[in-house]
Amino acid sequence: MADFRLYNTMTRRVEPFAPADGKTVRMYTCGPTVYNPAHLGNFRTFLFEDLMRRVFALRGWTVRQVMNLTDVDDKIIKRAQEQGKSITEVTEPVVEIFHRDREFLRIQRAEEYPKATAFIPEMIALVETLVARGVAYQADDGSVYFAIGKFPAYGKLSRLDTREVKSGARVLQDDYSKENAQDFALWKSAKAEDEATGAAWDSPWGRGRPGWHLECSAMAMQLLGETLDVHCGGIDLVFPHHEDEIAQSEAATTKTFSRVWSHGAFLLTDGAKMAKRVGNVFTVAGLREAGISAAAVRHFVFNTHYRKELNLSDQALDASTEAVRRVGDFARRLRSPATLELGGTPGLAHGAEAAVLRVEEALFDDLNAPEALAALFDFIRMANAELDRKGGDREAVERARAAFDRIDRVLDIVPEEVRGDTELVRWVEERIAARREARMRRDFAASDRIRDELAGRGVVLEDAGGETRWRLS
Ligand code: AMP
Ligand code: ZN
């Protein structure tokens, strides 16, 4: 098995990677702030994380991924206040849209999607620990802050000069109640709008609500343990979000919070970061309206390495649509009963194995999806040529199918219409095998039942010379 390597933002190096217990990868991914449907930039990051979890599975590891949903923050409270709603009334429909969009893009479900508002007691307990350890204090404004001056490792992830951070930023701060301008809020004392929108809770420091960074530390440690295998997010989260998560978690436990930090680069439009503020936002709904398939979006995202910036353009999306059409044509050909009948060649079987090796090597080397895609397209070209030779080797076709399935289980770029077909073919083949088995047991009632079941979906069977062929009526 090829080595597994991953870039670690903490060390700025590609390093060997394996889960601490050798079996299960405990993966924490910062999720969306649910006040607006996530944009394609957010989804680039979520697709990079989807790729990562699928590559871990390909490597044989179990994945336990947690993605938080930030359902209390300034923007959500502002929106709720404007609309005369509670924060929950604002966030609930957006959470639903998030999952719809996620499913459309075939992003696998994480094991858990904790909401910040469901972990208030855990967050309060963490702040109490930090206060008890003397690294957090309550200021005159009633809020509780983390004292970065008491945590010497502050800045180790982002490698910012903390002196510069401390003095440089002071003048820009309008909040003088903090001891140090860069101290960040763990717990914010409640304002009228927090109370009005259901965003305030009792705490040892009075009514208030959690600061943004706190939720990730509390939920990650609660659900995955004090040391994670990998913590992911977009590159903009390195500072201050992840730096502050490290400070809160490590000051409380004195353990390493995450063994590896992994960040995806931005999606740009016309050279600028896609962001709600800038107004250059594309949504999944917009893509669907434009008729762009999930397969094409996945191809578009995976065709650039996750650590390189990616520019969204019509031409790139068109090229990806064309590329996945070829993948779909190939999947259809490979799946067709006629292809199996005509058979392959020894070259096809060898090529299939070589393709899987090349894909695995690429993906296990810091998730090199562009190289994996190149290997897949080389395989498709080679396999089409070999299949044209009608070599009669059924085993070779079976191997090509298995190779293609193994690769596509990670990339998942077969267009929907073909995927529907392939699912039918898989189902029919599975039913035919079950029927053959029933006949071998001489259970003819079961065999007839399966024939009827197939007929119910328009599949006609023909038994000839010990073989069962099928066609759609
Ligand atoms: P947010 O909903 O703003 O908390 O962001 C959710 C995730 O999307 C975070 O991991 C961000 O780093 C990521 N993100 C935000 N904008 C972009 C972008 N233009 N390209 C890639 N990732 C982004
Ligand atoms: Zn986070």
Side-chain angles (χ1 to χ4, degrees):
M1 183 101 44
D3 293 344
F4 200 103
R5 286 150 35 95
L6 214 49
Y7 181 83
N8 185 356
T9 309
M10 184 63 84
T11 59
R12 307 290 196 272
R13 274 201 303 267
V14 177
E15 298 172 339
F17 173 83
D21 71 359
K23 292 193 199 86
T24 303
V25 183
R26 281 156 317 138
M27 175 177 179
Y28 188 88
T29 46
C30 290
T33 305
V34 281
Y35 85 106
N36 252 353
H39 58 69
L40 265 188
N42 304 133
F43 276 109
R44 183 194 183 192
T45 295
F46 304 148
L47 279 165
F48 136 65
E49 293 157 352
D50 180 59
L51 175 72
M52 185 184 279
R53 66 171 277 141
R54 289 176 188 238
V55 173
F56 286 155
L58 181 73
R59 177 62 181 70
W61 295 319
T62 304
V63 178
R64 192 164 152 65
Q65 180 191 356
V66 174
M67 176 176 280
N68 66 303
L69 302 173
T70 300
D71 65 347
V72 51
D73 91 328
D74 294 347
K75 285 168 290 190
I76 295 168
I77 292 164
K78 186 157 175 270
R79 173 77 45 88
Q81 201 188 18
E82 282 163 7
Q83 301 184 343
K85 291 180 176 166
S86 69
I87 52 168
T88 317
E89 284 167 331
V90 169
T91 57
E92 256 173 8
V94 183
V95 171
E96 250 173 63
I97 295 170
F98 166 70
H99 282 298
R100 253 208 327 267
D101 291 348
R102 177 185 64 70
E103 267 162 32
F104 173 74
L105 292 174
R106 307 179 186 173
I107 295 171
Q108 289 184 343
R109 238 195 127 71
E111 280 57 40
E112 304 227 31
Y113 290 98
K115 291 180 181 165
T117 54
F119 285 78
I120 301 292
E122 287 80 359
M123 292 192 239
I124 290 175
L126 180 56
V127 178
E128 283 184 304
T129 304
L130 294 171
V131 171
R133 285 182 167 266
V135 290
Y137 60 93
Q138 185 167 26
D140 298 342
D141 63 353
S143 298
V144 181
Y145 293 92
F146 186 95
I148 62 168
K150 302 263 173 60
F151 185 70
Y154 192 81
K156 69 176 172 179
L157 180 69
S158 49
R159 299 193 178 175
L160 292 178
D161 183 326
T162 41
R163 251 177 323 145
E164 196 176 301
V165 170
K166 283 174 197 168
S167 58
R170 186 182 284 274
V171 285
L172 300 172
Q173 281 315 124
D174 55 4
D175 193 343
Y176 295 104
S177 51
K178 295 190 248 177
E179 285 169 11
N180 182 312
Q182 279 301 300
D183 289 352
F184 59 91
L186 296 164
W187 185 260
K188 302 182 174 187
S189 62
K191 299 196 186 112
E193 60 264 33
D194 302 338
E195 294 288 0
T197 55
W201 291 265
D202 288 325
S203 84
W205 315 281
R207 300 278 291 168
R209 64 179 170 98
W212 170 37
H213 317 297
L214 188 63
E215 64 175 275
C216 289
S217 289
M219 297 193 289
M221 292 199 286
Q222 181 70 32
L223 298 170
L224 294 170
E226 289 176 341
T227 300
L228 317 169
D229 288 306
V230 58
H231 192 315
C232 310
I235 191 78
D236 57 332
L237 298 189
V238 171
F239 185 86
H241 186 52
H242 288 165
E243 197 69 66
D244 291 352
E245 280 189 38
I246 291 171
Q248 296 163 159
S249 311
E250 300 192 353
T253 66
T254 70
K255 293 187 185 132
T256 300
F257 179 41
S258 184
R259 298 170 57 233
V260 173
W261 290 86
S262 179
H263 295 97
F266 281 144
L267 179 69
L268 313 175
T269 30
D270 301 319
K273 179 198 168 193
M274 186 178 291
K276 284 161 205 165
R277 267 173 298 116
V278 183
N280 59 350
V281 158
F282 290 78
T283 59
V284 173
L287 280 182
R288 294 175 84 156
E289 267 165 44
I292 294 160
S293 71
V297 177
R298 295 179 69 90
H299 177 276
F300 163 68
V301 168
F302 295 157
N303 208 23
T304 295
H305 192 265
Y306 75 91
R307 287 194 285 119
K308 289 207 177 108
E309 285 181 342
L310 171 61
N311 208 20
L312 184 71
S313 70
D314 285 342
Q315 296 94 301
L317 284 174
D318 287 348
S320 288
T321 300
E322 173 56 22
V324 298
R325 193 189 55 71
R326 276 164 53 213
V327 176
D329 287 347
F330 179 67
R332 194 180 269 133
R333 179 177 195 183
L334 212 49
R335 285 272 147 235
S336 112
T339 300
L340 186 61
E341 207 158 300
L342 295 171
T345 56
L348 177 65
H350 284 145
E353 254 144 61
V356 169
L357 284 180
R358 192 174 148 203
V359 166
E360 289 185 348
E361 203 171 302
L363 293 174
F364 297 168
D365 183 14
D366 195 27
L367 314 180
N368 192 344
E371 168 61 17
L373 281 167
L376 172 63
F377 282 94
D378 284 347
F379 170 54
I380 291 176
R381 216 167 298 121
M382 179 281 299
N384 274 325
E386 292 296 322
L387 287 170
D388 288 344
R389 293 164 63 187
K390 306 182 176 107
D393 183 348
R394 294 170 71 101
E395 166 88 21
V397 176
E398 303 278 13
R399 289 217 202 159
R401 284 180 177 177
F404 180 78
D405 284 350
R406 188 163 170 80
I407 296 167
D408 196 55
R409 255 201 298 280
V410 178
L411 300 172
D412 208 347
I413 54 169
V414 174
E416 196 57 51
E417 31 335 327
V418 183
R419 203 159 71 133
D421 291 0
T422 21
E423 255 147 43
L424 175 72
V425 172
R426 269 181 213 162
W427 177 77
V428 170
E429 286 178 352
E430 182 274 318
R431 292 284 73 197
I432 289 176
R435 178 168 168 269
R436 191 182 314 125
E437 216 232 315
R439 282 155 70 108
M440 266 154 54
R441 292 197 314 266
R442 309 194 68 75
D443 183 350
F444 296 109
S447 146
D448 286 348
R449 256 199 319 277
I450 294 172
R451 179 185 278 269
D452 291 346
E453 199 185 332
L454 286 159
R457 285 178 67 175
V459 178
V460 183
L461 301 184
E462 285 159 17
D463 294 309
E467 291 277 332
T468 302
R469 297 188 188 159
W470 66 277
R471 61 186 167 78
L472 290 174
S473 62

